[in-house]
Amino acid sequence: MRTRKIFFVLCMMLMMGLYSGVVYANDSGEAYNIETTTVVKDGQEVEILQSQDKALQITQIGQNSKSVKIATSTFNERILISGRAKQGTSLKFEIYQGEDCLNTYDTSVGITETFSQMLDLVEGNNKVFLYYTNGENGIEGYVTVFIERESTENMEELMSWLDVPNL
């Protein structure tokens, strides 16, 4: 009986791990101007996103800094996007749900050549356009990433799977 409970808990933990890392397939061909690339950081290989012209890198979306995906999922209302670009690059984030622009954020890249921006998300699909411009280098373009904010109901259901009495 005890082995059965342990097996059940392990299965639930596995399901939670798989569910929390869900990457939604994007068959619409809308992942514009961006690709996944592998870099070595602190002696380990890490996947990041990079614009096709190599002018912009996204090194972290949310808490995931080991493998950044074009489409990701979260339960959080806010998410942090961090990356690298040349000093003086202007960045504009636009978050869309369908045809509606929900939020816009502007920032620029300083001497450290890094950026970090907290984004507010709504439940459902959030399409994030990141426009970048560096007049000094004549670089301009944009990339698109997708962030699915899961509903509170999904989180509660997932948590209910973990509620195993008498362990």
Side-chain angles (χ1 to χ4, degrees):
M1 185 67 167
R2 180 167 171 77
T3 305
R4 193 174 186 183
K5 287 181 183 178
I6 291 172
F7 178 74
F8 178 76
V9 169
L10 289 175
C11 287
M12 290 301 111
M13 290 174 63
L14 177 64
M15 287 174 40
M16 184 174 143
L18 291 174
Y19 189 80
S20 68
V22 170
V23 175
Y24 291 89
N26 182 16
D27 297 330
S28 63
E30 293 187 71
Y32 303 111
N33 308 321
I34 197 164
E35 58 196 18
T36 303
T37 188
T38 303
V39 296
V40 177
K41 180 179 178 184
D42 300 328
Q44 293 185 330
E45 287 189 352
V46 177
E47 286 185 353
I48 64 168
L49 299 176
Q50 180 170 276
S51 62
Q52 290 178 346
D53 61 8
K54 300 184 181 8
L56 177 87
Q57 292 180 339
I58 298 175
T59 57
Q60 185 172 347
I61 298 178
Q63 306 230 349
N64 190 356
S65 61
K66 297 282 186 204
S67 179
V68 182
K69 303 292 183 192
I70 292 168
T72 193
S73 174
T74 185
F75 289 109
N76 299 327
E77 294 177 11
R78 303 181 84 203
I79 197 164
L80 183 71
I81 293 186
S82 303
R84 300 182 54 86
K86 292 287 184 191
Q87 180 180 355
T89 301
S90 296
L91 302 173
K92 182 177 186 173
F93 296 82
E94 291 183 353
I95 302 175
Y96 283 83
Q97 191 169 53
E99 300 294 318
D100 299 326
C101 182
L102 305 173
N103 291 308
T104 302
Y105 304 89
D106 293 301
T107 191
S108 60
V109 179
I111 196 166
T112 62
E113 296 192 340
T114 62
F115 66 88
S116 188
Q117 181 66 51
M118 186 68 73
L119 306 176
D120 292 313
L121 304 173
V122 295
E123 277 189 14
N125 296 317
N126 293 268
K127 185 192 297 189
V128 180
F129 288 95
L130 173 49
Y131 298 93
Y132 54 94
T133 307
N134 189 320
E136 185 177 304
N137 298 332
I139 296 171
E140 104 176 23
Y142 72 97
V143 296
T144 310
V145 294
F146 301 87
I147 303 170
E148 173 79 16
R149 180 175 159 214
E150 295 290 341
S151 68
T152 305
E153 292 81 24
N154 287 351
M155 182 174 67
E156 289 170 358
E157 181 180 347
L158 185 61
M159 294 305 286
S160 72
W161 294 347
L162 298 176
D163 187 22
V164 181
N166 300 327
L167 282 181

